[in-house]
Amino acid sequence: MTTPLQSEIETRLEQAFSPNRLDVINDSASHRGHAGDDGSGESHFTVVIESAAFAGKGRLERQRMVNRALGDIPGERVHALAIRAFAPGDG
């Protein structure tokens, strides 16, 4: 089931990066009762994204790009966000 915040994350990343691959995985259920779980079911996510926009960028810069595209979501509306960002041909 796709949650509203999960859909918003997908939309923002699609608009910013036109990715070849985008998987937004809601990991919140596996963190129920842990630190940062606010009971919303939308506290922990993993993003796997592949886009030409990441070509020539290091891991940290790619993560910064994703965080900028997501605006207020990381750290404010989501407790934890794991990012795996790739350029085509990375492997």
Side-chain angles (χ1 to χ4, degrees):
M1 176 181 143
T2 302
T3 64
L5 190 54
Q6 184 176 359
S7 293
E8 184 177 349
I9 292 169
E10 290 169 351
T11 298
R12 287 187 186 199
L13 294 177
E14 286 167 358
Q15 290 173 348
F17 300 111
S18 299
N20 301 333
R21 174 183 177 195
L22 177 60
D23 297 316
V24 179
I25 304 145
N26 186 338
D27 298 318
S28 302
S30 62
H31 296 275
R32 190 168 288 127
H34 298 176
D37 175 27
D38 61 5
S40 70
E42 296 188 301
S43 60
H44 295 72
F45 288 88
T46 297
V47 169
V48 180
I49 183 170
E50 178 185 297
S51 172
F54 300 128
K57 307 280 193 276
R59 182 186 57 84
L60 186 57
E61 180 57 26
R62 292 173 183 187
Q63 291 181 353
R64 287 178 178 154
M65 291 168 68
V66 170
N67 281 321
R68 279 192 299 271
L70 293 176
D72 69 335
I73 293 174
E76 290 183 37
R77 296 169 53 199
V78 168
H79 174 71
L81 179 67
I83 300 169
R84 295 175 37 215
F86 304 95
D90 284 356

